[in-house]
């Protein structure tokens, strides 16, 4: 299943991995993306995800830090946790403004329960 990770691009980091069995070095790019919204009760909900992508994403996105992106990706779960992999067959959308601006929605009033 393909889904989209939408949020503000915080970091574009080149990385390398050496396979210990073959000593082969693989290069990739880690993208750190922050989603900032509000929950049903009006409290702020922030989540940050790091997605490991192909090394070509570094050149493509290093100038987009601070902008909002929509990245098509697949997710998988293994023994080390949940991993996200970019779907290279779909383009990364770079946007100047947040397409999911939750500040437009009315927040519910918070009351202390006695």
């Amino acid at each position: 299943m393909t889904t989209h990770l939408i949020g503000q691009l915080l970091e574009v980091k080149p990385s390398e991995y050496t396979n210990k069995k073959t000593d082969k070095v693989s290069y990739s790019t880690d993208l750190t993306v922050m989603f900032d919204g509000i929950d049903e009760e009006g409290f702020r909900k922030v989540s940050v995800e790091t997605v490991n992508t192909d090394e070509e994403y570094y050149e493509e996105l290093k100038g987009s830090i601070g902008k909002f992106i929509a990245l098509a990706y697949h997710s998988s779960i293994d023994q080390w946790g949940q991993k996200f992999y970019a779907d290279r067959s779909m383009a990364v959308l770079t946007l100047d403004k947040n397409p999911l601006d939750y500040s437009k929605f009315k927040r519910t009033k918070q009351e202390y329960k006695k």
Side-chain angles (χ1 to χ4, degrees):
M1 182 170 111
T2 301
T3 187
H4 282 83
L5 178 64
I6 299 173
Q8 186 175 19
L9 184 61
L10 299 178
E11 188 70 57
V12 179
K13 175 184 164 189
S15 61
E16 65 179 51
Y17 169 76
T18 304
N19 187 323
K20 293 181 182 177
K21 292 180 182 177
T22 63
D23 287 333
K24 181 180 176 184
V25 179
S26 301
Y27 298 95
S28 62
T29 301
D30 290 334
L31 304 177
T32 304
V33 180
M34 177 181 69
F35 173 78
D36 190 4
I38 58 172
D39 65 11
E40 292 176 350
E41 296 176 345
F43 290 104
R44 188 174 183 193
K45 184 171 186 172
V46 177
S47 62
V48 177
E49 299 291 341
T50 300
V51 182
N52 185 272
T53 61
D54 296 337
E55 64 181 314
E56 291 84 24
Y57 278 94
Y58 180 76
E59 290 297 324
E60 182 180 340
L61 294 174
K62 71 179 180 180
S64 300
I65 294 174
K67 294 185 179 183
F68 294 88
I69 64 167
L71 173 70
Y73 73 97
H74 300 283
S75 66
S76 66
I77 299 173
D78 61 16
Q79 62 202 26
W80 296 284
Q82 188 168 9
K83 305 288 185 196
F84 298 97
Y85 301 98
D87 183 352
R88 195 67 179 150
S89 67
M90 298 177 75
V92 177
L93 301 176
T94 304
L95 310 162
D96 291 325
K97 294 179 2 182
N98 186 357
L100 301 173
D101 186 5
Y102 281 89
S103 66
K104 298 175 185 175
F105 296 96
K106 185 177 180 182
R107 298 179 183 189
T108 58
K109 190 173 186 179
Q110 299 298 318
E111 293 183 21
Y112 178 72
K113 295 181 181 178
K114 295 181 182 181

